[in-house]
Amino acid sequence: MKRRSFIRISSYTAGAWLLSEVIPLNAFAMDSSDTNCFQPNPQIRVCEDGRVILYIIKQEMGQGVITSLPLILAEELDVDPEKIVIEGLPYDAANAGKYNTYASASIKGAYSSFRKAGATARTMLINAAAAEWNVNAEVLKTENSKVVNTLNGQSINYNQLIKRASALPVPENPVLKNPKDFKLIGKSQRRSNIAGIVTGKALYGFDLVLPDMVYAAVVRAPLFYGKVKKWDDSALKQLGPGILQIVEVTQMAGGVDNRNGVAVVATNSWLALRGQQLLKVEWDLGTKGLFDSTEISQQLKQALKTDTAALTYDKKGKSTAFTPLEGANVFRTIYEMPYQAHAAMEPMNCTASYKDGKYEIWGGFQAPGEIAKILPKAFGVATDAVFVNLLPIGGAFGRKEKVDNAAEAMQISKAIGKPVKMIFSRADDTGNDFYRPASYHQISVTADKTGITDWAHQLAVTAFPGKNISHVHHGIGGAVADLIYPVKNYQSAFYPIESPIPIGSWRAIGFSHNVFVAECLIDELAAKFKVDPVEYRLSILRQESDKYVKDRKRLENVLIKCAEAINWNHKPLAKRFRGIACCAYPHAQGYAAHAFEISVAPNNAIKIHKVVCAVDCGLIVDPEGFKSQIEGSLVWSLSATLKDEISLQKGQVQQQSFFDYDVMRLKEMPKFEIVIIPSDEAPGGAGEPAVPSVSPALCNAIFAATGKRVRKLPLKKEGYTMG
Amino acid sequence: MPKYTLLINGATKEVEVPVAMPLLWILRDELNYTGTKYGCGAGVCGSCTVLIDGVAQRSCQLNAQFCQGKKITTIEGLSADGNHPVQQAWAEMSVPQCGYCQSGQIMAATALLNRTPKPTDLQIDEAMSQNICRCGTYYRIRKAIHRASEIATTKKI
Ligand code: FES
Ligand code: FES
């Protein structure tokens, strides 16, 4: 039996994760209103003043975490979700990794733990009431922050039970609600920070203001390995005394990977950005990585021919060699995909304040764990000498796992001895990203209309730093997991080439290219053997396999439901054609299928008549929030499929802003239907599983319409337009 | 530096700023109206949209000189209580994801409804397609504008 002490806390927000409604300066203030609270579990406190405080450590970046997580607690605890106050766990450098938000894992990870936390508190409150009234706990129930005696209707508010409950033993295995009885989970809820957003009060890193703060923008080396030779700031004189200082920023290794540069420090953002434009910096660009995109593409192709694979896999995992498939019956095919940027609407930024050997920083970070791991080392200080205040993120998509922005702001603040907000211009953001890698795939298969015998996938990919393939580009979503279809013999091999520009996680990571390749190839095989593409997939998915593939049934099911929703078994109207593809996203326990109905004019203008997505992500906590993610996934993926590419000239990124890295617009969005598969399985992540199957479904529809295979994305570069 | 008098959300504000400083940064850095967002600074994303005499304009492309004598409305001034029909509809339809683009979306939608109280899908498409949302909230924006139009009509009755 564990003892829980009676805890007196003062609600304290120093360093806490700030809700959008909270003015950031409150970060410094202590709330002195003391109150008695009972804390049956580290994640929650139930207080005498009626508040239920929920401590969460995940970052909000648009995916609705702060709505979904309180709902789970409110459900088990039987309180009004509006009464739940969310506080971020104070940043704790030793446990910073727990704040990381990626891999669509927030809800998945929190679901059982918050349910248990709620059930624990509810059980203890019931036991407290039972003691208070001297009745058997079995006759008591809870509703709306009260314990109710079902025999006589007598009731007592939770907040009157705090003291008594605190003294009780903590149940080891509290009984959870039956999902059948859920009142909140699975019912749509409003996002709890919507009021802040629609009134403009929500504060993002870009909006932060600290007393005495100055502003900075950095002119960065146009090449990742570039160095500053000298600079000339004479043109900045015209901007007047608002330009305060010019500070050199140096590149840091060890996972920071910022660029060398020169910062313009000014009294406001605009002067800093103007100064950045006027500052003339002379660079030593070096001799490394001065490639054009066409050369990168050549290198990728060449690597497959001449290099030995850096890493090979077979069905069992890592293998020792890759054996090319030879013979007349081998079907070989290639696909190529470009670098992609994240282009979140809030450009990168960070505010830092250096004082007495310590750094305090403010910003939106997906991975505070990386801050604790990387920055103190890079700056040669103790782990607790870097303190981070996490702010809501204006779109992350993987980019905000990085800490280059923090390192820049910290260097500048140290140099000038003042708090500084360092902002990226849009061009800085587009040109200094950690990109989705460019990749070139060659797949060789032997197959017939009953199934696939051999599958050999060779993947050449731009790696960083050096030829290091970070874990996000293989393993999960890479060569092992890319193929959910049972095959007799499986092989894959990696051929990394050195990328001139940094790479990083991008929404749906390796799945974004591997699923494209696998799903287009299955479609090619179905066409070759004149089998219906849905039937072909299903018949293979249903085959016995010695390769461990989890939950193939769930994938089958989304495929079937998707086909039904697009009316697959009935012919479309004249000149309309359909394509389908599916994706298993095992580590977020998500399964999705997309189908497109399109027509293609003789001039290659594509008109999308309808898109359907069938998706199974287990139990859904917040259906509207969930659907938002599926809608967002379509918009995201269509941008990449149709329009976007990051290209290089002499190693320099060519794109600057939304005029040359264009994204989908409202009027371009096709009719879209989402079919949610009802499920009692533990909730999976919603942000990524419905990204990968969009591109292959569209490209398969293009094949159905034109007989031409799309081998390379984006479609715009291949001569297709949106009709 | 020249002085300007600006009428923002019904209040008169004096600022002393360089001639070329865009309204966006005057609002954000000088007057602390941070609801208006920077997305591109080049007039291509719409995050910085405000109303100038009721018409949607990109504040990153305007200077103080141009705005003098005109009524400037930012997201903070759209309503006293956050209950403008567009704000209500936005909440009802759960439009925002990360929320960063939404001030601009809401101001553009408000301007559309000012001149076209009952817009068709096509009119919405035309009015809203210069406002980028990277999270992909477009479907909900369309629905919410129809809903806002409904709310506005019932409110008047
Ligand atoms: S910031 Fe003004 S249009 Fe993008
Ligand atoms: S809601 Fe995130 S950019 Fe629009």
Side-chain angles (χ1 to χ4, degrees):
Chain A
M1 193 182 8
K2 276 190 227 135
R3 210 187 74 83
R4 261 302 150 191
S5 58
F6 179 78
I7 300 169
R8 265 181 90 78
I9 58 152
S10 61
S11 154
Y12 141 88
T13 53
W17 180 62
L18 300 166
L19 276 183
S20 22
E21 287 80 9
V22 179
I23 308 288
L25 287 181
N26 286 356
F28 297 119
M30 291 275 243
D31 177 352
S32 56
S33 64
D34 283 338
T35 185
N36 293 325
C37 297
F38 130 76
Q39 185 172 23
N41 175 297
Q43 287 168 314
I44 59 172
R45 281 176 177 164
V46 186
C47 299
E48 279 186 340
D49 62 6
R51 285 178 308 158
V52 176
I53 303 171
L54 164 62
Y55 292 94
I56 66 178
I57 51 179
K58 292 296 175 195
Q59 287 266 55
E60 182 61 42
M61 51 196 193
Q63 79 287 47
V65 172
I66 60 174
T67 310
S68 300
L69 300 184
L71 275 186
I72 299 169
L73 175 65
E75 181 71 68
E76 283 294 346
L77 187 52
D78 274 328
V79 295
D80 176 357
E82 304 284 320
K83 296 261 162 62
I84 294 183
V85 182
I86 302 164
E87 285 196 11
L89 282 181
Y91 175 76
D92 160 12
N95 286 306
K98 293 199 192 122
Y99 299 75
N100 294 354
T101 306
Y102 43 56
S104 307
S106 302
I107 296 189
K108 193 175 68 167
Y111 180 66
S112 14
S113 93
F114 282 177
R115 281 189 69 190
K116 190 166 177 202
T120 304
R122 182 166 45 91
T123 308
M124 292 170 75
L125 290 160
I126 285 185
N127 291 342
E132 179 93 20
W133 290 330
N134 202 7
V135 295
N136 190 329
E138 248 126 71
V139 305
L140 304 181
K141 63 167 189 183
T142 52
E143 61 188 32
N144 202 10
S145 300
K146 283 194 216 69
V147 181
V148 180
N149 184 333
T150 53
L151 298 179
N152 60 13
Q154 191 181 13
S155 72
I156 180 166
N157 280 334
Y158 285 173
N159 59 353
Q160 290 166 277
L161 294 166
I162 301 299
K163 268 187 207 153
R164 220 180 239 281
S166 312
L168 293 175
V170 178
E172 293 287 342
N173 290 307
V175 182
L176 302 181
K177 271 193 186 173
N178 185 327
K180 277 210 309 284
D181 300 327
F182 284 166
K183 294 191 204 93
L184 298 168
I185 293 177
K187 314 279 178 290
S188 272
Q189 297 294 324
R190 282 190 201 175
R191 294 272 310 280
S192 56
N193 58 344
I194 269 187
I197 290 170
V198 302
T199 53
K201 292 196 189 94
L203 283 157
Y204 302 82
F206 220 91
D207 304 326
L208 184 80
V209 181
L210 298 176
D212 271 345
M213 179 182 91
V214 294
Y215 300 76
V218 182
V219 185
R220 295 177 187 79
L223 281 177
F224 183 77
Y225 300 100
K227 292 191 180 86
V228 178
K229 267 212 241 157
K230 58 178 182 202
W231 69 83
D232 169 9
D233 60 353
S234 50
L236 276 68
K237 300 276 183 305
Q238 59 176 280
L239 297 174
I243 299 291
L244 301 172
Q245 217 171 318
I246 309 290
V247 174
E248 188 165 346
V249 175
T250 49
Q251 186 160 45
M252 290 176 147
V256 177
D257 298 326
N258 66 311
R259 297 193 189 190
N260 288 307
V262 184
V264 177
V265 183
T267 51
N268 64 47
S269 313
W270 178 70
L271 279 172
L273 291 171
R274 278 297 291 144
Q276 183 201 37
Q277 286 169 341
L278 293 173
L279 188 75
K280 289 198 190 72
V281 185
E282 223 179 282
W283 305 101
D284 169 6
L285 292 179
T287 51
K288 216 173 155 180
L290 300 166
F291 303 121
D292 292 355
S293 288
T294 45
E295 291 169 290
I296 296 286
S297 171
Q298 272 312 318
Q299 289 175 17
L300 288 169
K301 280 176 208 156
Q302 199 55 36
L304 285 189
K305 295 204 188 92
T306 52
D307 294 9
T308 345
L311 200 58
T312 59
Y313 287 93
D314 61 19
K315 272 188 186 177
K316 291 189 218 74
K318 281 194 184 146
S319 65
T320 48
F322 178 85
T323 324
L325 291 188
E326 305 293 351
N329 60 340
V330 174
F331 181 75
R332 223 185 293 280
T333 185
I334 58 115
Y335 293 96
E336 193 172 353
M337 297 177 87
Y339 285 112
Q340 291 287 5
H342 296 83
M345 288 313 292
E346 179 191 18
M348 297 298 288
N349 63 82
C350 180
T351 300
S353 172
Y354 173 81
K355 220 173 156 190
D356 306 329
K358 290 194 173 173
Y359 297 89
E360 182 163 7
I361 63 177
W362 290 258
F365 294 95
Q366 274 178 276
E370 294 299 290
I371 291 181
K373 208 166 77 192
I374 294 171
L375 288 174
K377 230 189 246 156
F379 283 80
V381 295
T383 313
D384 61 2
V386 179
F387 190 87
V388 57
N389 300 276
L390 300 174
L391 297 176
I393 307 178
F397 315 117
R399 171 64 177 99
K400 286 161 187 169
E401 287 172 23
K402 299 293 177 190
V403 299
D404 53 318
N405 53 331
E408 291 177 343
M410 287 160 69
Q411 287 189 26
I412 301 166
S413 177
K414 185 170 184 200
I416 62 173
K418 273 191 172 189
V420 64
K421 176 160 75 179
M422 187 282 306
I423 57 173
F424 278 41
S425 70
R426 172 55 56 192
D428 296 338
D429 196 88
T430 312
N432 297 276
D433 201 342
F434 289 71
Y435 304 88
R436 197 272 306 266
S439 58
Y440 179 83
H441 305 250
Q442 173 171 294
I443 313 198
S444 314
V445 291
T446 61
D448 62 24
K449 65 171 189 268
T450 63
I452 302 163
T453 311
D454 300 280
W455 179 289
H457 183 169
Q458 289 164 283
L459 165 57
V461 62
T462 58
F464 174 88
K467 289 192 175 181
N468 169 21
I469 315 171
S470 115
H471 77 278
V472 294
H473 301 117
H474 72 277
I476 294 172
V480 172
D482 65 352
L483 191 65
I484 194 143
Y485 297 100
V487 299
K488 202 148 170 274
N489 306 305
Y490 175 86
Q491 284 191 86
S492 66
F494 281 92
Y495 303 83
I497 68 158
E498 238 179 277
S499 177
I501 53 175
I503 63 161
S505 306
W506 188 85
R507 193 172 190 176
I509 51 169
F511 289 82
S512 76
H513 49 82
N514 285 325
V515 170
F516 173 70
V517 169
E519 286 297 303
C520 286
L521 177 52
I522 288 280
D523 204 74
E524 286 192 62
L525 294 175
K528 184 174 151 76
F529 302 123
K530 302 194 169 42
V531 196
D532 176 83
V534 175
E535 281 313 310
Y536 194 56
R537 284 177 173 84
L538 288 175
S539 74
I540 299 174
L541 280 172
R542 286 168 181 155
Q543 287 165 14
E544 284 296 307
S545 166
D546 50 357
K547 180 170 176 244
Y548 175 70
V549 182
K550 213 180 151 219
D551 285 342
R552 260 190 276 146
K553 272 260 162 296
R554 291 173 77 181
L555 187 65
E556 269 177 58
N557 196 28
V558 291
L559 196 54
I560 292 167
K561 289 289 170 344
C562 183
E564 277 171 18
I566 199 102
N567 216 0
W568 188 264
N569 289 331
H570 296 90
K571 262 201 163 43
L573 295 176
K575 298 201 176 131
R576 291 192 183 190
F577 299 88
R578 295 180 185 138
I580 199 164
C582 59
C583 167
Y585 207 89
H587 69 298
Q589 286 154 33
Y591 303 82
H594 282 88
F596 277 70
E597 185 168 311
I598 66 166
S599 45
V600 183
N603 65 355
N604 278 347
I606 303 168
K607 169 103 189 111
I608 304 174
H609 301 286
K610 188 176 182 185
V611 184
V612 172
C613 174
V615 54
D616 172 2
C617 287
L619 186 122
I620 288 157
V621 176
D622 167 20
E624 285 309 312
F626 177 76
K627 278 193 226 146
S628 289
Q629 288 299 311
I630 307 303
E631 290 161 11
S633 299
L634 178 70
V635 178
W636 179 267
S637 211
L638 281 179
S639 294
T641 311
L642 288 158
K643 304 180 169 195
D644 296 337
E645 140 172 73
I646 287 292
S647 59
L648 302 179
Q649 223 172 59
K650 296 249 175 299
Q652 297 186 26
V653 170
Q654 292 303 291
Q655 287 69 25
Q656 292 179 44
S657 184
F658 293 113
F659 49 78
D660 51 9
Y661 191 81
D662 190 16
V663 296
M664 293 301 282
R665 307 306 178 102
L666 189 141
K667 70 171 170 198
E668 297 171 315
M669 290 314 297
K671 209 166 122 205
F672 186 34
E673 181 187 338
I674 300 170
V675 180
I676 297 178
I677 312 293
S679 169
D680 289 337
E681 302 276 343
E688 296 176 296
V691 168
S693 45
V694 172
S695 323
L698 175 55
C699 291
N700 292 340
I702 292 174
F703 173 77
T706 65
K708 282 187 221 128
R709 279 289 160 197
V710 177
R711 303 254 162 240
K712 206 170 170 180
L713 293 178
L715 288 165
K716 194 174 79 185
K717 279 257 317 246
E718 301 301 289
Y720 293 93
T721 56
M722 280 284 268
Chain B
M1 274 190 294
K3 284 199 179 115
Y4 302 94
T5 308
L6 299 175
L7 186 61
I8 303 173
N9 301 334
T12 309
K13 303 273 176 184
E14 304 282 337
V15 291
E16 196 177 337
V17 295
V19 184
M21 187 168 182
L23 176 63
L24 167 68
W25 298 114
I26 300 175
L27 289 170
R28 292 180 52 84
D29 288 359
E30 300 291 316
L31 301 169
N32 208 19
Y33 290 111
T34 53
T36 305
K37 305 296 186 204
Y38 168 85
C40 69
V44 290
C45 77
S47 296
C48 66
T49 307
V50 297
L51 303 186
I52 306 289
D53 286 339
V55 177
Q57 303 261 18
R58 300 189 164 204
S59 62
C60 69
Q61 301 298 302
L62 310 173
N63 63 10
Q65 175 75 47
F66 173 88
C67 299
Q68 282 206 110
K70 301 189 169 79
K71 266 172 44 192
I72 303 167
T73 313
T74 72
I75 185 83
E76 292 91 346
L78 194 55
S79 64
D81 50 2
N83 265 336
H84 185 280
V86 175
Q87 290 169 318
Q88 272 185 49
W90 244 244
E92 255 181 58
M93 298 293 161
S94 297
V95 176
Q97 288 187 35
C98 81
Y100 193 81
C101 73
Q102 298 296 338
S103 307
Q105 306 281 5
I106 289 172
M107 299 317 278
T110 305
L112 165 66
L113 290 165
N114 283 348
R115 56 172 201 276
T116 317
K118 281 201 169 311
T120 61
D121 273 346
L122 210 67
Q123 285 167 321
I124 293 175
D125 285 3
E126 280 317 314
M128 299 301 294
S129 288
Q130 297 309 314
N131 281 67
I132 293 174
C133 173
R134 190 66 169 140
C135 296
T137 61
Y138 298 134
Y139 291 106
R140 280 159 202 272
I141 290 174
R142 206 185 267 155
K143 275 198 238 157
I145 291 177
H146 287 305
R147 178 72 190 120
S149 157
E150 254 172 55
I151 298 173
T153 334
T154 31
K155 263 195 176 171
K156 266 181 218 139
I157 295 165

